[in-house]
Amino acid sequence: MYLKKVHIELYRNFYNTDVGLEEGLNVIIGANNTGKSNLLKVVSFLHSTPKLSIDDINKNELIANYQEYLEKPPIIKIQYEIQHTIDLTKPDSAFEKLERFLQYKEDGGLDEVNNIAKLNALVELRYELDPSSLDDYKSQMTGIVDFNKFLENLAVFKDNYQVNFYNFETNSIIETKYVNSIFEIENIDAERPSIDIENVSKTFVKTKIEDVDTRTTTSDINKALKTAFGSITDYINTQIKEDQEEIGITNGKNEFISSFSFDGDFTGYFQYELKNTEAGYSLPVPHNGLGYNNLIYMSNKIKQKKDNDYNILLIEEPEAHLHPNMQYQLIKYIEKLKSNDEKGIQNQIIVTTHSPNISSSTNFDHMILFNYEKYGDEIKNVKSIRFGDFFELSKVRNNLNIEKLELETDAQFEKFEKEVEINLNHYRTHLEKFLDITRSDILFSTKVILVEGIAEKLTIPLFAELLGIKLTNRHIVIEEVGGVNFNNFLPIFIGQNKKALCFSDCDFKYVINKGKSIIVNNPDTYDAYVQSKKNNFKNREFAGDEFFKFFTQKKLGSTFETELILENYDNKNNFGFLVDIANLPNGIIELVKNKSITAFKDKLETITPKQTKDKVSGLVKLFYESYILETNIDKKNIIEKLFFVNLLYEYIKNKKGDYALSIATSPNIKQKPLLIEDEKESDIYLSVPEYIKEGLEWLLT
């Protein structure tokens, strides 16, 4: 038996949410305040008397639509869909537990084949106003035209709200005790104080002690206590004897004496120690590190659940205080608890986490992503998506661009569909390798910036700051994808209102082979080339996805570095800075800063050392020939500019990371002041490449 689905309405940040759960492990991941802890609370209501308040009602909904609740009080609704497969030839307590909530077929029977029946039950929890208070409520709300006044009046009825469980089909109230008996639910909170580590095991230890005859042990302990502390009791008894007759205790026949006695409760003496097997000493629990204590606590909670039927184990942030390797081992241990039917947890384990270590080591089919996003025009809602579903065409078809083209034959369209299935499988294989410990924070972010390499990852935060944007404050992460096909990462964003900004190089080639000769490519073909690159960036199945957008160079740059240089080329101070950090050979630094291709050509034979002259001479002659042949002055200037940019890139391309690091860590790069008189000559006011600026602006809208 397991909890198949939870439907939540108006509880905290849940507006209208379905959370599908699997019988085994479910790992809930997402950014802060996306509802992970709230889900655990919702599940735990099945095994407790829920304590809800007016403040638990979704405030976003009340603010947007409070007028609708002037006549009809707001209600929190939570539906629990439970499923169990039962062998009718064997005893099973599940039917008794679920009989008040079962969903029957139209003929009144169960879904049964060969004595195997599938039990489907639906329990509904409502936090609602007592019907007897409805008239008073309506009267209190009459004439309200202000939200704050509505909220104030709603609070007046906080003691008139109640929690009820219902049979969904009959709409009849069911006693809480019948709901609480369905599952054994254990909640391991994020805070696990060391004082509770031993206490959590004492109930379990007590049951085991009851299986042992302790009478002889208790007697021996009592004798030992009386002997060991005999001198103490003798002294106390002497003192008592002196006073008790005067006080009136003896009264001629009674005598009050002291004694040591063991009552046989061995659980009070149970404790854990952590033994150092190398040095041979042990330390009590309070002296251990928080990580080890958390691990011991969780281990004992889990152990006590393994022999029970119909369990739900809730674990909040198991990574707390644990070393990354211990986090990895823990999640693998929890996964095995379900996979081993003989020794494992019988039903469900629900884990919430913020740990990339755990998410990177969890099977995609066990992961559920929570996003807190717009639902309609105004209301925000928690959206739940099982990560493994992203890679099954049948489950994501409606979120992809799977439509037959106007002139496409049936055979061609069928071939395309098969290609999409192959692609989805490829995406999954790639992501299973890619989403390691260092990159899984993509899953916990609100928005993502994907870049080709380390250079962009290092410099994008600086460019954002120069534009007045703080990325970390917005839970935006930047991940470099190693220059591979960005389509591999699109499944992470399927069906989510979660933007992914992609910066990719257009890789326009300025030096090309044409037949037996090498020529400078015509810059006039640049725009058409870039447009073609944009058109072909996303695979066909993702063509309609508005939340994944591609930005590339647009001002004749072919890479991030060349576009940055072009953007700052006409500013002497900025260009000089970019030249200086490129570590050019001394023989050409001033020639580059001079930015005259003719002067460079004339000085070519004087350049030393020889290896520098040999490296640059081919590029100089190639661009100079194109420069001389061009008659249009504007185009001549472009060719000259492209020569120096490409020359500079020749010395950067094999050390892009170092070049980017020099930019990102320079203390002289500052955001340009609003007033000219506040600018300093010693500061560098780099211009951010326009495509990066446009991309960041799109991401933040």
Side-chain angles (χ1 to χ4, degrees):
M1 184 163 61
Y2 73 103
L3 186 58
K4 183 180 180 181
K5 186 172 74 174
V6 183
H7 174 77
I8 310 169
E9 294 180 21
L10 300 192
Y11 175 68
R12 298 192 176 180
N13 59 341
F14 292 94
Y15 171 69
N16 190 330
T17 301
D18 287 325
V19 182
L21 298 168
E22 297 292 331
E23 188 172 1
L25 176 65
N26 301 266
V27 178
I28 315 296
I29 63 176
N32 287 327
N33 294 321
T34 54
K36 299 186 297 298
S37 297
N38 288 340
L39 175 68
L40 297 192
K41 290 181 183 296
V42 164
V43 175
S44 68
F45 291 162
L46 284 173
H47 197 60
S48 62
T49 301
K51 295 180 180 179
L52 298 173
S53 73
I54 296 295
D55 288 330
D56 287 314
I57 301 175
N58 187 292
K59 292 296 188 297
N60 290 328
E61 163 65 6
L62 296 185
I63 291 172
N65 301 305
Y66 75 89
Q67 296 92 342
E68 296 180 12
Y69 298 106
L70 299 180
E71 291 281 328
K72 184 180 179 181
I75 301 174
I76 293 175
K77 290 184 181 180
I78 302 171
Q79 294 173 1
Y80 303 90
E81 186 177 331
I82 301 166
Q83 191 171 97
H84 180 66
T85 301
I86 185 171
D87 187 339
L88 298 176
T89 65
K90 298 178 181 179
D92 194 321
S93 62
F95 187 87
E96 181 181 350
K97 290 174 178 289
L98 296 176
E99 62 178 332
R100 292 171 179 82
F101 311 100
L102 287 175
Q103 304 283 291
Y104 293 96
K105 297 194 300 182
E106 290 184 3
D107 61 5
L110 297 173
D111 186 6
E112 177 187 346
V113 178
N114 297 327
N115 288 321
I116 301 298
K118 183 174 288 185
L119 304 183
N120 293 288
L122 191 61
V123 180
E124 181 167 280
L125 177 154
R126 299 179 200 162
Y127 178 65
E128 58 191 349
L129 185 69
D130 186 333
S132 65
S133 302
L134 182 57
D135 289 341
D136 289 341
Y137 176 89
K138 291 180 180 179
S139 175
Q140 186 79 19
M141 293 298 181
T142 301
I144 297 296
V145 294
D146 176 75
F147 169 72
N148 290 323
K149 187 64 178 177
F150 163 78
L151 208 58
E152 180 183 320
N153 286 1
L154 181 62
V156 171
F157 290 90
K158 63 181 181 180
D159 294 331
N160 302 90
Y161 262 78
Q162 57 192 16
V163 175
N164 292 312
F165 285 102
Y166 287 84
N167 177 304
F168 185 75
E169 284 195 342
T170 64
N171 200 37
S172 57
I173 294 177
I174 304 295
E175 289 184 59
T176 302
K177 65 180 182 180
Y178 294 115
V179 177
N180 292 167
S181 66
I182 297 174
F183 289 106
E184 288 289 332
I185 299 178
E186 191 71 59
N187 193 356
I188 301 179
D189 294 326
E191 294 184 11
R192 299 177 277 271
S194 61
I195 192 172
D196 290 336
I197 291 176
E198 288 162 352
N199 291 337
V200 76
S201 296
K202 287 184 178 178
T203 302
F204 175 73
V205 170
K206 188 173 183 178
T207 62
K208 298 303 178 184
I209 290 175
E210 289 172 352
D211 296 335
V212 179
D213 187 349
T214 60
R215 288 174 296 180
T216 302
T217 304
T218 301
S219 176
D220 290 344
I221 291 174
N222 273 310
K223 290 177 182 178
L225 286 172
K226 293 179 186 297
T227 301
F229 301 120
S231 60
I232 296 174
T233 55
D234 288 345
Y235 174 78
I236 293 174
N237 289 339
T238 299
Q239 298 299 312
I240 291 174
K241 194 170 184 179
E242 291 178 358
D243 299 326
Q244 65 183 346
E245 188 168 344
E246 292 183 21
I247 294 174
I249 294 176
T250 57
N251 197 22
K253 57 181 178 181
N254 297 317
E255 188 173 274
F256 186 67
I257 61 172
S258 66
S259 177
F260 282 93
S261 178
F262 176 67
D263 63 4
D265 182 13
F266 288 94
T267 58
Y269 303 93
F270 175 80
Q271 68 176 19
Y272 284 107
E273 292 182 348
L274 190 67
K275 183 177 181 179
N276 186 310
T277 55
E278 292 183 355
Y281 64 82
S282 299
L283 288 174
V285 163
H287 291 71
N288 295 332
L290 290 173
Y292 274 106
N293 285 350
N294 279 344
L295 208 55
I296 294 169
Y297 181 91
M298 286 187 286
S299 174
N300 279 279
K301 282 277 191 179
I302 292 169
K303 290 284 187 183
Q304 293 179 52
K305 302 299 295 178
K306 287 172 64 174
D307 296 330
N308 298 336
D309 289 332
Y310 314 131
N311 287 301
I312 298 178
L313 181 61
L314 310 175
I315 307 178
E316 186 173 15
E317 298 181 22
E319 67 270 15
H321 308 296
L322 288 184
H323 185 277
N325 287 345
M326 295 172 74
Q327 294 179 34
Y328 172 81
Q329 286 183 283
L330 176 63
I331 199 65
K332 290 303 180 186
Y333 169 72
I334 292 173
E335 283 184 318
K336 289 179 181 178
L337 286 175
K338 182 56 194 173
S339 61
N340 188 331
D341 290 334
E342 293 183 1
K343 297 181 180 180
I345 301 291
Q346 294 301 308
N347 300 111
Q348 282 176 296
I349 306 168
I350 304 175
V351 176
T352 66
T353 184
H354 290 106
S355 169
N357 301 287
I358 289 179
S359 63
S360 66
S361 54
T362 301
N363 187 295
F364 285 178
D365 295 324
H366 296 159
M367 292 165 56
I368 300 174
L369 304 185
F370 270 20
N371 289 309
Y372 192 46
E373 58 190 43
K374 279 285 186 70
Y375 183 92
D377 295 330
E378 297 179 347
I379 309 301
K380 294 190 76 174
N381 185 41
V382 177
K383 188 168 185 178
S384 164
I385 305 171
R386 185 164 289 274
F387 197 34
D389 291 351
F390 291 167
F391 311 97
E392 295 185 33
L393 181 57
S394 61
K395 294 181 178 179
V396 295
R397 188 182 188 91
N398 293 336
N399 300 112
L400 298 176
N401 186 39
I402 311 294
E403 294 182 2
K404 188 177 178 181
L405 301 178
E406 185 176 350
L407 300 178
E408 194 170 30
T409 66
D410 290 342
Q412 289 172 329
F413 181 64
E414 185 177 336
K415 180 182 178 182
F416 164 65
E417 287 185 305
K418 290 181 180 179
E419 288 176 352
V420 173
E421 288 186 309
I422 293 172
N423 286 346
L424 289 173
N425 185 60
H426 169 76
Y427 301 149
R428 174 166 184 152
T429 301
H430 179 84
L431 286 170
E432 284 175 338
K433 295 178 180 179
F434 179 87
L435 291 180
D436 58 16
I437 292 173
T438 62
R439 298 185 176 101
S440 284
D441 51 358
I442 288 178
L443 304 174
F444 301 91
S445 64
T446 56
K447 297 178 181 180
V448 177
I449 301 174
L450 298 177
V451 297
E452 281 196 11
I454 189 64
E456 294 94 326
K457 184 171 183 176
L458 288 171
T459 53
I460 292 296
L462 169 65
F463 294 147
E465 285 189 22
L466 295 180
L467 296 171
I469 301 168
K470 294 286 187 181
L471 297 178
T472 53
N473 293 349
R474 300 170 184 263
H475 301 287
I476 298 172
V477 301
I478 306 171
E479 289 297 348
E480 51 96 8
V481 300
V484 298
N485 188 342
F486 283 80
N487 286 271
N488 292 327
F489 303 90
L490 280 177
I492 297 176
F493 311 99
I494 291 176
Q496 304 179 65
N497 296 333
K498 181 175 180 177
K499 284 186 174 181
L501 165 61
C502 176
F503 289 126
S504 178
D505 290 342
C506 72
D507 296 319
F508 183 80
K509 303 295 183 184
Y510 279 104
V511 178
I512 58 174
N513 291 316
K514 190 171 184 180
K516 295 182 179 180
S517 61
I518 300 175
I519 64 169
V520 173
N521 198 2
N522 186 352
D524 290 345
T525 65
Y526 179 86
D527 289 341
Y529 172 86
V530 171
Q531 187 59 51
S532 175
K533 180 103 175 182
K534 287 182 177 180
N535 293 340
N536 296 311
F537 176 71
K538 290 190 283 190
N539 288 348
R540 175 177 163 184
E541 60 265 29
F542 299 123
D545 195 323
E546 298 177 355
F547 294 94
F548 188 90
K549 198 162 184 179
F550 161 70
F551 290 83
T552 190
Q553 295 80 36
K554 58 186 298 183
K555 291 188 174 181
L556 298 179
S558 54
T559 66
F560 156 71
E561 293 80 11
T562 55
E563 187 85 347
L564 176 64
I565 297 167
L566 283 164
E567 192 78 51
N568 291 275
Y569 186 86
D570 295 326
N571 184 300
K572 182 179 179 181
N573 202 26
N574 291 355
F575 182 73
F577 167 77
L578 294 174
V579 171
D580 288 339
I581 63 172
N583 292 320
L584 298 177
N586 290 332
I588 62 171
I589 292 177
E590 292 306 317
L591 290 174
V592 172
K593 288 184 177 181
N594 188 39
K595 295 190 287 190
S596 169
I597 191 171
T598 301
F600 203 110
K601 169 74 168 48
D602 292 343
K603 294 283 187 179
L604 187 59
E605 294 304 319
T606 65
I607 294 175
T608 57
K610 183 178 182 300
Q611 62 186 34
T612 300
K613 184 182 74 172
D614 292 343
K615 181 173 181 175
V616 303
S617 59
L619 199 65
V620 175
K621 293 174 181 177
L622 186 64
F623 272 87
Y624 188 72
E625 180 180 340
S626 185
Y627 175 79
I628 292 298
L629 292 174
E630 181 58 62
T631 57
N632 183 289
I633 187 63
D634 292 331
K635 291 184 178 181
K636 286 178 75 75
N637 290 337
I638 289 173
I639 293 171
E640 183 176 53
K641 182 184 294 188
L642 289 172
F643 160 67
F644 284 104
V645 170
N646 280 275
L647 176 63
L648 197 54
Y649 185 68
E650 279 297 309
Y651 285 92
I652 295 171
K653 64 182 182 181
N654 293 325
K655 49 182 179 181
K656 290 183 177 183
D658 292 337
Y659 191 73
L661 186 62
S662 297
I663 295 172
T665 59
S666 172
N668 295 326
I669 298 178
K670 303 290 175 62
Q671 186 176 11
K672 195 169 185 177
L674 296 176
L675 301 177
I676 295 176
E677 54 264 31
D678 291 335
E679 295 183 18
K680 298 178 181 178
E681 291 187 7
S682 59
D683 288 336
I684 307 297
Y685 305 113
L686 280 183
S687 294
V688 178
E690 189 172 332
Y691 79 100
I692 291 179
K693 180 181 179 181
E694 290 178 352
L696 291 174
E697 289 174 347
W698 169 82
L699 187 68
L700 298 178
T701 55

